[in-house]
Amino acid sequence: MEFRILGPLEVLDGEQSVPLKGAKPRALLGVLLLHANEVVSNARLVDELWGERPPATAENLVQGYVHALRKQLGSDTLLTQAPGYRLRVLPEALDLLEFQRLVAVARTAELEEAAALRRRALALWHGPPLADLSFEGPARHESGRLSELRLETQIERIEAELELGRHAALIGELESLVGAHTYQERLHAQLILALYRSGRQAEALQAYQSVRRVLSDELGLQPGQALRDLEAAILRQDEALVLDGRTMPTPSLPAETPEPAPAEDELRPVTVLFADIVGSTALGERLAPDDVKALVGECVTQMSQAVEEYGGIVQAYAGDGICAYFGVPHTREDDPERAARTGLRIQEVAGKYARDVTEAWSIPDFAVRVGINTGRAGVGVVGAGSPQTVALGDATNVAARIQSAAAPGTIAVGAETARRLEHRFFFEPLGEIPVKGRTGHVSVSRLVGPRSRGRSVALRPLVGREQEVAKLRRLVSELEAGRGQALLLVGEPGIGKTRLLAELRSLLPDETTWLEGHCLSYGGLPSWPFIEVLQRWLDVEIGDAEVVVRTRVRARLGPLFGGDPSRVPPGLGRLLRVELGTDAATAPEEIRRGYVAWVEALTEQRPVVLAIDDLHWAHESSRELAEDLLVLTERAPLLLVATLRRDPASEGWRFRTRVLTEFSHRAAELALEPLTHTEAAELLGKLLPGAFDDETREEIVARAEGNPLYLEELLRALVEGGGLEQRHRTWTTALKPSLILPPALENLLVARIDRLPAGPRRLAQLAAAIGREFPVAVIERVAGESSRDDLAVLLRAEIVREVRRYPELRCAFRHGLLQDAALTTLTPSSRRELYARVAAAFEELYAGSLDDHLERLAH
Ligand SMILES: Nc1ncnc2c1ncn2[C@@H]1O[C@H](COP(=O)(O)OP(=O)(O)O)[C@@H](O)[C@H]1O
Ligand SMILES: [Mg+2]
């Protein structure tokens, strides 16, 4: 079934138009369509159909109309849902929703595409909206509102076309629009500009005079500032009014900005999650409306809690489902993982709920469908009264579509999300689905569950790191000799910290105990990495039945404590969420003491290595426990290892400070530097056996700048993008590796920029528009003196570094990929604007020696 309301109301069943009889039933359908997928209450319907004087039988009449409509539309389209009715429509089956979608996508698209999208959106109209319906309630105003929306879109489309240099072709259309909307100053301004750009200056000035007269005669008003500025600019033949192919000026139309536009429009990767309850229809048939509402409401609440637990935000509640964003307002490196874990949690919660529902009412088909998709979206703030952060773009629409393709009780995931999560989760391909408004299909997978972090993946051979490995060997032999120590492996993401940890493990003799835990980027339980260590040692998992855990604890921990299970510290039970003793000690110090006692007992048997990966994500509770274990290295053969990034604000860094100040006599730190050029080339050869042609190899190696993860992901992006082909056993590429930002790294890189406060973030964007390396003078010329402070933040955050002070201060992005990531967060129009301002600053600063700097301008 397809519905059209951008014109007279129409319902289509395939090609066939469905005849709808009666003004009231048609109006009723109109109201439901204006609120598609929302519940519209009985009272509201009565109000819309009859206004202030409804007949006594109004409610019954509404029921009758619904009954008749349902016969034509089908019962799963028109649902009864307290306190009224809900019309279920796919976004692509209602022209209004499709219109809104296209307009939203256009906001973040390139000029040419934006104009095309808006044209497509406008083509959906076939007359005045809801023209043939009469309403008595608030819906009366909807028709006017929709018409305004249409005009707004028309103006935006014309704006884009003007910028594309199509002024001559627009004049006719603008003249008739101006005739129909006499007081729309923006349209007048567009006409005047189009005339001027077509070399018709006198007519442009006449057009200005005629609108001035109309406004003053009919409304007693002066033209607005924008129009007056435009006239002045025409009179002085301002160059900014003319488009010349080379330097695209910033939008030269001095019109007011369109009001609902996001305040600070930026692009960033966003992961969108839709979750929807299926089977609520069956509930509606079996239960009283109030009960259904309460039941569905509770389930939706629990789904929202899952979203919040993993740091997402619920953007909308749509009937019996939610739409949530991860990465709004700020991108995090693990947004896709957070969304995936939320999906799993939602299914867990919904599964329990479904069992209860089945038990209580014998309703078997209560379930939730989840759809997840990642993509770049325009993120901004809309609305003046109660501003809301929203993500606009295709990603949301595709996520909704993916959700509708998921089987009840499952999670379906788009290709972009799956690609970022392959290492951590299992997926099953579901094939491809079409998405309306997109050419090409979207491939979808089912998210099955997380991979365990076992040792299952065979390690690829280590490249380079000879000195580090030599140091590890020394530490191992000292441990064998009974000496306790602490080891810190420090370095940027992807540099090889975890890999080196694995190397350490492989160097250990058999008679050593290896304990390992990981801090989670999304938080998790307090002391989590240490809980994980204990669970792995006991061979239990979260979700195991309490009796299993308790039995293991007694069987494995008992012997460590003199064969007496009652002497197992109750704090350990607390960490495992099981009751051990009679009165469980719960104070945090008690728990830590119990933990240290356990590790100490292990060291009495044989030397122990306890490794915590990613300590930069640690909670305070984990840091405290790590510090207590540090003390243990004084008296026991314990090698305490932590990997961490350089993040001075983190708990992990506090731990490092403690280690280096108070335990320096027992501490070793390995700071991992980028691989050398030769090592990186060697790694490339190992990742993809076979020779590379020189140019390709050099480009990939240069782009990765010694970071093994970047190298791997660049290669993967090339392979998956079909960019590599083998000729005579030599790999070669038609793509430019130097232009690729691997999708799997996008979140990681953008998150580093996005974490910054607004000032430094904007500065990073500006610097990125200048180049990998940039003179600070240009920054100051564009952004003002105060930008020095913001630059200091970028230096401290290790986003940029100082290159030289003389003859002028120059800084550079620490990594080329970081610069590119900063650029990707700019919308095309703000990027153009920045380029223009940068070019102007160069001209002013280096007017005499411009040639030297021309290279920089060649963007
Ligand atoms: N020296 C190395 N030789 C070969 N592969 C490496 C080396 N260092 C890192 N890698 C690989 O690069 C990727 C990123 O390394 P990882 O240890 O996960 O980085 P980190 O833990 O510092 O973020 C992994 O796939 C890892 O196996
Ligand atoms: Mg790691």
Side-chain angles (χ1 to χ4, degrees), residues 424 453 492-499 501 518 613-614 616-617 643 645:
R424 294 173 178 274
R453 294 210 206 212
E492 62 179 74
I495 201 74
K497 303 179 293 296
T498 306
R499 178 65 188 81
L501 205 56
H518 306 83
D613 202 7
D614 293 327
H616 48 273
W617 284 322
T643 72
R645 300 180 189 168

Side-chain angles (χ1 to χ4, degrees), residues 423 459-465 491-501 613-614 616 643 645 672 675 679 683 686-687 707-710 712:
H423 300 310
L459 279 182
R460 269 195 291 261
L462 189 74
V463 170
R465 306 287 185 223
E492 62 179 74
I495 201 74
K497 303 179 293 296
T498 306
R499 178 65 188 81
L500 209 57
L501 205 56
D613 202 7
D614 293 327
H616 48 273
T643 72
R645 300 180 189 168
L672 296 187
L675 298 179
E679 288 164 350
L683 179 55
K686 292 207 161 113
L687 290 172
N707 184 308
L709 177 72
Y710 294 0
E712 282 179 7

Side-chain angles (χ1 to χ4, degrees), residues 318-388:
D320 42 17
I322 54 169
C323 163
Y325 295 146
F326 295 82
V328 174
H330 297 294
T331 301
R332 287 164 304 210
E333 65 179 88
D334 58 343
D335 284 322
E337 175 165 1
R338 287 169 188 254
R341 297 207 176 261
T342 305
L344 291 167
R345 171 63 54 86
I346 285 178
Q347 289 302 8
E348 189 187 319
V349 170
K352 279 203 198 105
Y353 214 69
R355 279 193 293 282
D356 291 351
V357 169
T358 312
E359 226 165 76
W361 293 285
S362 318
I363 296 171
D365 52 358
F366 185 92
V368 171
R369 284 195 301 230
V370 178
I372 301 176
N373 186 48
T374 304
R376 207 172 295 165
V379 173
V381 181
V382 296
S386 52
Q388 239 197 334

Side-chain angles (χ1 to χ4, degrees), residues 289-434:
D290 282 351
D291 289 346
V292 178
K293 199 172 156 203
L295 203 72
V296 168
E298 192 185 329
C299 188
V300 167
T301 306
Q302 292 194 13
M303 300 200 291
S304 311
Q305 281 165 355
V307 169
E308 277 152 27
E309 183 184 337
Y310 286 99
I313 59 169
V314 177
Q315 207 274 329
Y317 297 89
D320 42 17
I322 54 169
C323 163
Y325 295 146
F326 295 82
V328 174
H330 297 294
T331 301
R332 287 164 304 210
E333 65 179 88
D334 58 343
D335 284 322
E337 175 165 1
R338 287 169 188 254
R341 297 207 176 261
T342 305
L344 291 167
R345 171 63 54 86
I346 285 178
Q347 289 302 8
E348 189 187 319
V349 170
K352 279 203 198 105
Y353 214 69
R355 279 193 293 282
D356 291 351
V357 169
T358 312
E359 226 165 76
W361 293 285
S362 318
I363 296 171
D365 52 358
F366 185 92
V368 171
R369 284 195 301 230
V370 178
I372 301 176
N373 186 48
T374 304
R376 207 172 295 165
V379 173
V381 181
V382 296
S386 52
Q388 239 197 334
T389 307
V390 295
L392 300 165
D394 215 19
T396 308
N397 167 46
V398 176
R401 179 70 186 90
I402 290 173
Q403 185 261 117
S404 65
T410 69
I411 304 165
V413 165
E416 284 302 314
T417 313
R419 201 210 300 246
R420 287 160 161 86
L421 296 175
E422 266 165 11
H423 300 310
R424 294 173 178 274
F425 295 84
F426 288 112
F427 293 97
E428 255 169 30
L430 288 178
E432 306 213 313
I433 57 167

Side-chain angles (χ1 to χ4, degrees), residues 50 166 244 279 361 569 574 747:
W50 290 282
R166 307 204 179 117
D244 68 359
W361 293 285
R574 194 47 204 182
N747 268 77

Side-chain angles (χ1 to χ4, degrees), residues 445-713:
S445 323
R446 185 163 91 83
L447 172 63
V448 183
R451 289 177 192 270
S452 66
R453 294 210 206 212
R455 258 189 125 180
S456 49
V457 271
L459 279 182
R460 269 195 291 261
L462 189 74
V463 170
R465 306 287 185 223
E466 285 85 10
Q467 285 181 12
E468 286 83 357
V469 170
K471 177 75 187 169
L472 295 182
R473 283 185 198 284
R474 275 202 301 285
L475 287 169
V476 169
S477 64
E478 285 169 6
L479 178 67
E480 277 181 279
R483 183 164 139 77
Q485 294 189 67
L487 167 65
L488 303 164
L489 297 173
V490 182
E492 62 179 74
I495 201 74
K497 303 179 293 296
T498 306
R499 178 65 188 81
L500 209 57
L501 205 56
E503 199 64 20
L504 170 65
R505 185 175 186 181
S506 73
L507 294 174
L508 291 176
D510 283 345
E511 54 280 3
T512 315
T513 303
W514 175 266
L515 302 173
E516 183 180 331
H518 306 83
C519 297
L520 300 175
S521 53
Y522 47 88
L525 301 170
S527 307
W528 165 253
F530 292 99
I531 299 177
E532 188 191 5
V533 164
L534 183 57
Q535 283 183 338
R536 285 183 172 211
W537 186 78
L538 288 169
D539 199 15
V540 295
E541 279 179 20
I542 284 221
D544 279 349
E546 189 168 333
V547 56
V548 174
V549 180
R550 218 171 22 223
T551 310
R552 282 285 156 72
V553 167
R554 291 196 177 172
R556 294 207 64 185
L557 282 172
L560 277 182
F561 293 93
D564 180 1
S566 71
R567 285 173 55 198
V568 173
L572 292 177
R574 194 47 204 182
L575 279 180
L576 295 164
R577 307 285 187 273
V578 291
E579 288 289 331
L580 288 183
T582 38
D583 67 323
T586 54
E589 309 82 60
E590 200 59 38
I591 293 177
R592 297 208 300 269
R593 204 167 315 140
Y595 204 89
V596 173
W598 167 58
V599 177
E600 184 159 20
L602 286 175
T603 60
E604 278 158 17
Q605 297 184 327
R606 24 188 218 171
V608 173
V609 181
L610 195 163
I612 302 294
D613 202 7
D614 293 327
L615 197 71
H616 48 273
W617 284 322
H619 273 187
E620 189 184 6
S621 56
S622 303
R623 197 249 309 145
E624 285 170 354
L625 188 41
E627 287 182 351
D628 286 359
L629 287 163
L630 199 53
V631 180
L632 183 60
T633 62
E634 298 265 330
R635 56 173 195 271
L638 168 67
L639 178 59
L640 186 61
V641 191
T643 72
L644 67 164
R645 300 180 189 168
R646 196 178 301 277
D647 178 358
S650 68
E651 293 289 335
W653 206 249
R654 279 183 71 179
F655 173 74
R656 173 183 174 271
T657 311
R658 178 98 196 268
V659 171
L660 296 184
T661 51
E662 290 174 41
F663 291 81
S664 61
H665 57 297
R666 300 192 169 270
E669 180 173 42
L670 292 176
L672 296 187
E673 298 296 328
L675 298 179
T676 64
H677 184 279
T678 327
E679 288 164 350
E682 185 188 336
L683 179 55
L684 185 59
K686 292 207 161 113
L687 290 172
L688 193 68
F692 279 87
D693 77 53
D694 287 349
E695 197 184 334
T696 304
R697 186 184 56 233
E698 283 310 305
E699 273 201 54
I700 300 176
V701 167
R703 177 85 165 150
E705 298 184 36
N707 184 308
L709 177 72
Y710 294 0
L711 191 77
E712 282 179 7
E713 291 301 341

